Amino acid sequence: QVQLQQSGPGLVKPSQTLSLTCAISGDTVSSNSAAWNWIRQSPSRGLEWLGRTYYRSKWYTDYAVSLRRRISINTDTAKNQFSLQLNSVTPEDTAIYYCARALVGAFVDWGQGTLVTVSS
Amino acid sequence: DIVMTQSPVSLAVSLGERATINCKSSQSVLYNSNNKDYLAWYQQKPGQPPKLLIYWASTRESGVPDRFSGSGSETDFTLTISSLQAEDVALYYCQQYSRTPFTFGPGTKVDIK
């Protein structure tokens, strides 16, 4: 059974960097069949896919075009986790952030969610 | 980007009756190379993350009751709950994973009449 445990601050100041981590148990971040995603949910935007990373003999990342200049998804194979960094946040980035494991593209397993509020 | 739309926005169904949710994509999500539709359905209850119900448009995820079924192809899809139970009250989302950015529908709220 795969479990994803999210951690990170729930309050970030405008213009600063949002950082969240997703620790994986029951699978490995360097799996050749899974992809590791970040998704957020807000009343104004609904469910919004932010990006993913996956390993298929080498590492790949894909990002939502609208966030490409501000987002970074990284992996830590020693700790079996992946992380999200979103720079220069504004109140519009306030949302519940989820990490999710995808198999054949669909999101099979989800983290518990982290409400991140951008406010001074 | 592929835009996903859903109808209705909400519906109320009597216990034991059928609930039907529609989803439409702005482009086909069917891959001719493997004849699979890259379409998933999720259920979300308050305070919880979405839960995968259906993938490949009609394949039920392990452990999902067989009253949930998915159908459709290319751009038009349906999620059917054949006999609504109290625990099915939730929001339901469709999602395409045929190409990035992966996109979700706006959701359909299902309630008991």
Side-chain angles (χ1 to χ4, degrees):
Chain A
Q1 181 185 0
V2 174
Q3 292 191 325
L4 304 176
Q5 182 66 41
Q6 297 178 218
S7 59
L11 180 63
V12 182
K13 288 182 166 47
S15 80
Q16 295 194 341
T17 296
L18 181 161
S19 295
L20 295 173
T21 298
C22 184
I24 304 162
S25 58
D27 198 354
T28 62
V29 71
S30 53
S31 161
N32 270 298
S33 57
W36 307 96
N37 297 259
W38 288 99
I39 296 159
R40 68 183 177 183
Q41 185 173 29
S42 65
S44 58
R45 296 172 181 265
L47 285 161
E48 180 184 14
W49 176 80
L50 306 181
R52 65 175 176 176
T53 186
Y54 58 99
Y55 185 79
R56 302 288 186 268
S57 302
K58 68 175 186 176
W59 287 101
Y60 295 86
T61 54
D62 296 305
Y63 299 127
V65 172
S66 60
L67 297 174
R68 191 160 289 166
R69 296 189 179 199
R70 300 198 290 134
I71 191 173
S72 177
I73 295 176
N74 296 293
T75 59
D76 185 333
T77 54
K79 293 183 178 179
N80 201 30
Q81 62 188 31
F82 63 110
S83 62
L84 168 71
Q85 285 198 311
L86 188 63
N87 303 322
S88 305
V89 296
T90 72
E92 289 191 351
D93 294 310
T94 294
I96 299 172
Y97 285 75
Y98 295 101
C99 59
R101 169 180 175 255
L103 293 177
V104 297
F107 303 118
V108 179
D109 301 290
W110 295 67
Q112 78 274 25
T114 302
L115 173 60
V116 178
T117 302
V118 179
S119 174
S120 53
Chain B
D1 298 4
I2 297 178
V3 177
M4 308 299 291
T5 56
Q6 288 182 234
S7 63
V9 172
S10 65
L11 75 160
V13 175
S14 300
L15 287 171
E17 295 300 304
R18 179 186 301 261
T20 301
I21 302 169
N22 300 300
C23 172
K24 192 179 282 282
S25 57
S26 62
Q27 303 172 37
S28 174
V29 299
L30 173 66
Y31 269 58
N32 292 323
S33 59
N34 59 8
N35 200 37
K36 288 185 182 293
D37 290 282
Y38 285 53
L39 189 285
W41 288 97
Y42 300 86
Q43 175 193 67
Q44 187 177 32
K45 297 181 179 180
Q48 297 182 19
K51 173 189 172 184
L52 178 65
L53 297 175
I54 303 281
Y55 58 97
W56 297 139
S58 62
T59 301
R60 206 177 298 115
E61 171 70 342
S62 175
V64 173
D66 60 8
R67 64 180 179 273
F68 291 93
S69 63
S71 62
S73 186
E74 298 194 49
T75 60
D76 291 277
F77 301 91
T78 300
L79 175 71
T80 301
I81 309 173
S82 60
S83 175
L84 191 75
Q85 304 300 303
E87 61 265 32
D88 301 334
V89 170
L91 275 162
Y92 292 84
Y93 297 93
C94 60
Q95 177 240 336
Q96 66 80 19
Y97 51 96
S98 68
R99 65 196 71 181
T100 59
F102 303 134
T103 47
F104 293 83
T108 294
K109 185 177 181 185
V110 174
D111 261 320
I112 305 292
K113 185 187 292 183

